[in-house]
Amino acid sequence: MKQLLLLLIILTTHNFIIPSHSEKCNPDDKNALLQIKKQFGNPTKLSSWNPTTDCCNGTWEGVSCDTDTQTYRVNDLDLFDLDLPQPLPIPPSIINLPFLFYLSLSRIPNLVGTIPSSISSLSKLRYLYFSHSNISGEIPNTLSQIKTLVTLDFSYNKLTGPLPNTISSLPNLVGITFDGNQLTGAIPESYGSFSSLFTSMTLSRNKLSGKIPASLANLNLAFVDLSRNALEGDASVLFGSNKNTQKIVLAMNSFSFDIGKVGLSQNLNGLDLRNNKIYGMLPEGLTELKFLHTFNVSYNNLCGEIPQGGNLKRFDEYCYSHNKCLCGSPLPACKT
């Protein structure tokens, strides 16, 4: 009896968690979560993270456990709108949740600092979202060590520096979303070697510059958004009649290529090329696109008659305005 009392005193003194026999939450995961809460300054939204309750019982905000295999390891951490008491970094204890496959920290204004390179130790991670916060610094190339990654979303932060050139080696990566940062430099040549699973690349509202690598012709992107950068040169490599492209947004750059020579995906439903230096005649194939519902080629150097028919007739003169010599409905008639 004395030995039992002594053990209880030691465990209490050292703040160890004594799990109940019915508790499913792994004690290491629980300790890690409580450390994360502490490192976040104990925000009120995490008041449900009560050390006396089971972290796998569904009541802990943003926490899910693996019930399929009945290992009950924490595999999903989805936190947003946290009321951090002061500017704080990504909690270091996150790496002590080794079974995470989904990690999201979003809409947290007081989340600052860099993306820790140690995040690469989460070897089972598939979905990584740090968005709409104030994270800064460079995107670490060490992310390429997480071979299980499927999606990366670091949109609308204060990230700087170049695009990470090693992530194209990730075998399961489907898409990257780095919009709304302050990333600089060129799109890496290596981005043309993403796997065939890679279908989405959105890099809008950054400070990217230079020419698009010709290697991007190898990609079959469903969605691509490079708008509001300082990119230039030939973006025709993103087009192709044999591709599954659904949306191309290149607005507000300095791209220059002959639009009349590109092939068009039959699945194209959005095309925004405004405010570039694109030239040539609009391809007749635009009238054959059954799903086209957004279209804008204004403020370019286009010439010739606007193709008539199909979904093109739904777009007004604003979508064609301020070109070199574009004419025909809905613009004034071409001169004979």
Side-chain angles (χ1 to χ4, degrees), residues 148-164:
T148 50
L149 277 174
V150 173
T151 58
L152 284 171
D153 183 349
F154 300 147
S155 57
Y156 296 95
N157 282 286
K158 293 182 178 178
L159 295 169
T160 56
L163 292 166

Side-chain angles (χ1 to χ4, degrees), residues 71 106 164 211 269 293:
T71 58
S106 63
K211 297 182 178 181
N269 61 51
H293 59 78

Side-chain angles (χ1 to χ4, degrees), residues 36 40 49 77-82 89-91 94 102-108 111 116 119 127-135 153-155 157:
I36 290 168
F40 265 146
W49 291 19
L77 187 61
D78 185 4
L79 302 177
F80 56 92
D81 292 332
L82 295 183
I90 294 170
I94 279 179
Y102 182 100
L103 174 58
S104 177
L105 304 175
S106 63
R107 303 201 307 268
I108 308 175
L111 186 63
I119 208 88
Y127 306 97
L128 181 57
Y129 303 99
F130 297 150
S131 67
H132 294 81
S133 298
N134 279 296
I135 296 170
D153 183 349
F154 300 147
S155 57
N157 282 286

Side-chain angles (χ1 to χ4, degrees), residues 5-32:
L5 288 172
L6 180 61
L7 179 61
L8 288 172
I9 291 170
I10 292 172
L11 291 173
T12 304
T13 303
H14 288 80
N15 296 318
F16 288 124
I17 296 169
I18 307 173
S20 68
H21 292 297
S22 61
E23 186 166 334
K24 297 174 181 178
C25 182
N26 181 280
D28 292 336
D29 290 353
K30 190 171 188 178
N31 279 319

Side-chain angles (χ1 to χ4, degrees), residues 43-312:
T44 54
K45 191 166 184 178
L46 299 186
S47 59
S48 61
W49 291 19
N50 187 329
T52 66
T53 61
D54 186 347
C55 76
C56 290
N57 67 3
T59 63
W60 284 41
E61 176 73 31
V63 176
S64 298
C65 301
D66 185 355
T67 57
D68 293 336
T69 62
Q70 296 188 341
T71 58
Y72 296 101
R73 299 303 299 261
V74 173
N75 62 2
D76 188 321
L77 187 61
D78 185 4
L79 302 177
F80 56 92
D81 292 332
L82 295 183
D83 50 327
L84 304 188
Q86 63 192 50
L88 291 167
I90 294 170
S93 292
I94 279 179
I95 66 169
N96 295 326
L97 295 171
F99 286 81
L100 279 183
F101 79 84
Y102 182 100
L103 174 58
S104 177
L105 304 175
S106 63
R107 303 201 307 268
I108 308 175
N110 266 348
L111 186 63
V112 299
T114 61
I115 299 172
S117 58
S118 58
I119 208 88
S120 62
S121 65
L122 295 175
S123 60
K124 299 181 185 299
L125 202 60
R126 299 185 68 194
Y127 306 97
L128 181 57
Y129 303 99
F130 297 150
S131 67
H132 294 81
S133 298
N134 279 296
I135 296 170
S136 58
E138 295 188 7
I139 300 173
N141 264 307
T142 52
L143 291 171
S144 62
Q145 297 173 23
I146 313 175
K147 301 302 182 184
T148 50
L149 277 174
V150 173
T151 58
L152 284 171
D153 183 349
F154 300 147
S155 57
Y156 296 95
N157 282 286
K158 293 182 178 178
L159 295 169
T160 56
L163 292 166
N165 61 9
T166 58
I167 59 172
S168 57
S169 66
L170 291 168
N172 301 301
L173 198 64
V174 169
I176 55 174
T177 305
F178 298 158
D179 308 271
N181 284 284
Q182 299 166 29
L183 301 172
T184 55
I187 297 174
E189 185 76 29
S190 62
Y191 279 25
S193 59
F194 281 108
S195 79
S196 59
L197 298 175
F198 189 77
T199 57
S200 178
M201 181 166 64
T202 63
L203 308 172
S204 69
R205 298 174 185 269
N206 279 286
K207 298 178 180 179
L208 300 174
S209 59
K211 297 182 178 181
I212 286 184
S215 62
L216 296 194
N218 300 328
L219 302 180
N220 187 3
L221 296 173
F223 304 97
V224 56
D225 187 351
L226 306 179
S227 62
R228 297 175 186 268
N229 280 288
L231 296 163
E232 60 185 16
D234 187 0
S236 65
V237 294
L238 300 171
F239 294 79
S241 57
N242 60 340
K243 296 187 177 185
N244 187 38
T245 314
Q246 297 173 40
K247 191 171 186 178
I248 299 179
V249 184
L250 306 177
M252 299 184 180
N253 282 285
S254 293
F255 291 124
S256 178
F257 60 94
D258 188 343
I259 189 66
K261 294 182 179 180
V262 302
L264 299 173
S265 164
Q266 290 303 303
N267 296 315
L268 196 65
N269 61 51
L271 184 61
D272 188 351
L273 306 179
R274 61 198 156 97
N275 294 83
N276 277 285
K277 300 176 181 178
I278 300 168
Y279 57 90
M281 298 177 63
L282 290 173
E284 288 289 337
L286 287 168
T287 62
E288 300 171 7
L289 300 178
K290 298 178 181 179
F291 309 110
L292 191 66
H293 59 78
T294 59
F295 179 76
N296 197 322
V297 293
S298 60
Y299 291 90
N300 277 289
N301 295 320
L302 301 174
C303 271
E305 186 170 5
I306 296 171
Q308 302 298 308
N311 278 327
L312 279 189

